[in-house]
């Protein structure tokens, strides 16, 4: 179980920047929004208890609900809210340096690269404005594609992180760089400090947290520049932890590419032992989490190949029974039967749950009608499914729950 092994060892690094955990008002707002019952009463009873950092609470790109993702500010906010593990999504620049970005080609929506004409000119696809017909109907969305592999590390470091958003109706670069979702905010997005992977390791270490780097799928053809192979890229990510003296039990390397996970298991077993297979197979139309025959490989086959942790989206782990109650899915039961640890994603990444919750709640939409219901889901995931940790865009929500429940 991840909750047990996460306590092993302590990385000998700089002292934490702060020791206190600051939950803020959101967990209390969610509790107040819950329906009356045992869970609400239990969570309400913890209002005055001191909170501690929890490895059950994983900062998804930091604290991306309000801070530009994968920036120093986002990581610090996640740690301050008690996230015991913080994520850097890892990709590479033109000069093969590792940096923290959710996608190799997201700079046009997550940074201000388009506001730098000399860098915007290097983008894979320069900005193109929206087009409209004579009736004002949009016939072509505004677009751009800017990749970390388009620019050098020094050029990347000159950028400001912003909230991940774009405006499809934009006629200008300034308009295109807007579009932040109405359940997020630009209050803290004046100029987010972008991070290299090595910088993220040093920062997260100083914050007293553990690491869950995700090796992102390259958007460029591999081997990049003729000789930079996928395996070299995967090993480079691990080597940066080694070079900084990070103990392997503090690192939970992730990938949606099963071959990456199997490579770590074989080539670097100390780090591969707790590598996490991110399960995105729901993008395959034939995949059904209620029908094991549609899963390839099966849960047991994954376990037999040395995989210890699987990480699907939340909705794949739950379903509704005949009474409309949230219960574990067939997928969850099969993962547990195979002895796999389960991590899941992502809480606080939806708009108002009164509208059904969107992607992350799709298997339980009929049971969702208010924001407090996310604690109902979290409770089932914790005790009935038996997850080992959960990613959140606002880690305080999970930290509060973990402290209250003694996780």
């Amino acid at each position: 179980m991840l909750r047990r092994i996460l306590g092993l060892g302590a990385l000998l690094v700089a002292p934490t920047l702060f020791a206190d955990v600051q939950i803020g008002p959101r967990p209390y707002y969610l509790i107040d929004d819950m329906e009356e019952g045992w869970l609400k009463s239990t969570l309400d009873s913890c209002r005055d208890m001191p909170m501690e950092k929890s490895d059950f609470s994983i900062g998804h790109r930091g604290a991306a609900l309000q801070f530009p993702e994968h920036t120093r500010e986002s990581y610090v906010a996640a740690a301050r809210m008690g996230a015991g593990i913080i994520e850097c999504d890892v990709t590479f620049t033109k000069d093969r340096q590792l940096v923290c970005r959710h996608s190799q080609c997201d700079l046009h929506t997550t940074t201000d690269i388009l506001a730098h004409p000399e860098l915007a000119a290097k983008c894979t696809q320069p900005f193109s404005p929206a087009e409209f017909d004579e009736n004002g109907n949009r016939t072509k969305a505004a677009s751009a594609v800017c990749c970390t592999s388009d620019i050098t590390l020094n050029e990347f470091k000159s950028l400001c992180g912003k909230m991940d958003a774009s405006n499809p109706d934009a006629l200008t670069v300034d308009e295109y760089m807007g579009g932040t979702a109405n359940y997020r905010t630009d209050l803290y997005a004046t100029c987010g400090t972008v991070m290299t992977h090595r910088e993220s390791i040093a920062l997260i270490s100083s914050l007293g947290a553990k690491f869950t780097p995700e090796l992102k799928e390259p958007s460029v053809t591999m081997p990049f520049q003729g000789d930079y192979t996928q395996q070299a890229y995967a090993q480079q990510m691990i080597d940066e932890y080694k070079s900084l003296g990070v103990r392997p039990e503090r690192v939970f390397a992730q990938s949606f590419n099963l071959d990456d996970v199997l490579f770590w298991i074989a080539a670097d077993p100390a780090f591969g032992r707790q590598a996490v297979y991110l399960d995105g197979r729901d993008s395959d139309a034939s995949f059904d989490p209620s029908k094991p025959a549609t899963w390839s490989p099966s849960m047991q086959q994954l376990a037999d190949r040395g995989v210890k942790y699987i990480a699907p989206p939340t909705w794949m782990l739950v379903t509704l029974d005949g009474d409309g109650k949230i219960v574990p899915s067939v997928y969850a039961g099969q993962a547990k039967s195979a002895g796999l640890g389960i991590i899941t994603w992502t809480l606080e990444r939806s708009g108002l749950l009164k509208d059904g919750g969107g992607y992350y709640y799709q298997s339980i939409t009929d049971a969702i009608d208010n924001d407090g219901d996310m604690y109902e889901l979290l409770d089932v995931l914790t005790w009935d499914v038996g997850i080992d940790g959960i990613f959140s865009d606002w880690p305080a929500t999970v930290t509060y729950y973990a402290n209250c429940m003694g996780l």
Side-chain angles (χ1 to χ4, degrees):
M1 293 286 285
L2 185 58
R3 285 195 290 269
R4 289 198 294 269
I5 69 170
L6 282 175
L8 294 176
L11 179 63
L12 298 177
V13 294
T16 59
L17 296 181
F18 47 83
D20 59 318
V21 171
Q22 301 175 15
I23 294 298
R26 183 153 178 81
Y28 309 108
Y29 166 80
L30 295 175
I31 294 166
D32 289 342
D33 201 36
M34 295 176 68
E35 296 177 5
E36 297 299 327
W38 174 88
L39 181 58
K40 179 174 182 175
S41 297
T42 300
L43 292 175
D44 192 61
S45 71
C46 298
R47 285 178 180 264
D48 296 324
M49 72 179 290
M51 297 287 162
E52 298 178 352
K53 181 171 78 266
S54 172
D55 293 333
F56 190 72
S57 178
I58 306 172
H60 184 238
R61 315 181 201 175
L65 185 66
Q66 290 193 13
F67 291 84
E69 62 187 44
H70 294 311
T71 60
R72 184 185 191 281
E73 294 77 12
S74 189
Y75 294 154
V76 170
R80 195 174 294 279
M81 286 187 276
I85 306 174
I86 298 175
E87 179 189 45
C88 165
D89 289 327
V90 179
T91 187
F92 56 86
T93 61
K94 186 176 182 178
D95 46 351
R96 305 184 190 182
Q97 300 301 302
L98 301 184
V99 296
C100 299
R101 285 292 95 195
H102 176 61
S103 167
Q104 187 166 57
C105 294
D106 72 2
L107 296 182
H108 50 289
T109 63
T110 65
T111 74
D112 65 345
I113 189 171
L114 294 176
H116 299 259
E118 71 285 3
L119 297 182
K122 299 182 179 185
C123 289
T124 296
Q125 294 180 21
F127 170 70
S128 176
E131 296 179 2
F132 299 85
D133 63 21
E134 62 276 9
N135 297 316
N137 299 309
R138 191 180 71 211
T139 57
K140 184 178 79 70
S143 63
V145 178
C146 302
C147 308
T148 57
S149 51
D150 291 333
I151 58 176
T152 67
L153 177 60
N154 284 340
E155 290 169 333
F156 172 80
K157 289 290 290 178
S158 72
L159 302 176
C160 289
K162 73 177 192 68
M163 296 302 283
D164 184 11
S166 62
N167 178 2
D169 294 329
L171 298 178
T172 67
V173 164
D174 284 346
E175 290 177 347
Y176 183 77
M177 290 170 57
T180 299
N182 61 8
Y183 58 90
R184 292 185 172 143
T185 179
D186 288 316
L187 279 174
Y188 308 105
T190 53
C191 184
T193 307
V194 297
M195 304 285 290
T196 68
H197 179 232
R198 289 181 68 88
E199 287 171 339
S200 80
I201 297 172
L203 175 63
I204 293 168
S205 293
S206 76
L207 296 170
K210 299 181 179 74
F211 316 85
T212 184
E214 180 191 336
L215 194 76
K216 301 304 297 188
E217 180 181 3
S219 298
V220 295
T221 301
M222 300 294 277
F224 181 59
Q225 297 175 338
D227 62 351
Y228 187 54
T229 65
Q230 181 69 23
Q231 290 189 346
Y233 169 40
Q235 188 61 54
Q236 182 183 0
M237 186 183 86
I238 299 300
D239 286 346
E240 293 201 342
Y241 289 94
K242 289 181 172 182
S243 69
L244 292 172
V246 178
R247 294 171 60 173
E249 61 265 27
R250 297 180 64 85
V251 182
F252 296 83
Q254 318 167 71
S255 181
F256 280 100
N257 182 348
L258 180 57
D259 287 341
D260 292 335
V261 176
L262 297 177
F263 170 75
W264 291 322
I265 291 170
D268 217 321
F271 284 87
R273 188 174 296 116
Q274 53 195 36
V276 180
Y277 172 45
L278 294 164
D279 195 349
R281 290 178 290 177
D282 58 315
S283 61
D284 183 343
S286 66
F287 181 86
D288 186 336
S290 68
K291 297 178 180 179
T294 67
W295 314 343
S296 181
S298 69
M299 297 296 184
Q300 191 58 55
Q301 287 171 331
L302 287 171
D304 290 345
R305 298 179 76 177
V307 176
K308 302 297 184 185
Y309 296 101
I310 194 166
T314 50
W315 73 268
M316 284 168 53
L317 294 170
V318 290
T319 187
L320 298 179
D321 66 12
D323 296 322
K325 180 182 177 182
I326 303 172
V327 295
S329 67
V330 172
Y331 178 104
Q334 291 279 315
K336 281 298 181 182
S337 294
L340 295 173
I342 302 173
I343 303 167
T344 190
W345 41 277
T346 303
L347 216 62
E348 299 279 25
R349 196 160 178 81
S350 300
L352 298 177
L353 298 197
K354 67 180 179 62
D355 300 323
Y359 172 81
Y360 296 97
Y361 297 84
Q362 60 185 281
S363 61
I364 57 170
T365 297
D366 291 344
I368 299 298
D369 59 17
N370 63 73
D371 283 352
D373 284 337
M374 71 177 67
Y375 271 137
E376 301 285 351
L377 170 62
L378 182 56
D379 197 59
V380 173
L381 290 170
T382 302
W383 302 111
D384 299 335
V385 172
I387 63 170
D388 297 301
I390 184 167
F391 286 86
S392 177
D393 277 12
W394 199 243
T397 297
V398 178
T399 301
Y400 184 99
Y401 178 90
N403 276 265
C404 189
M405 295 296 177
L407 301 179

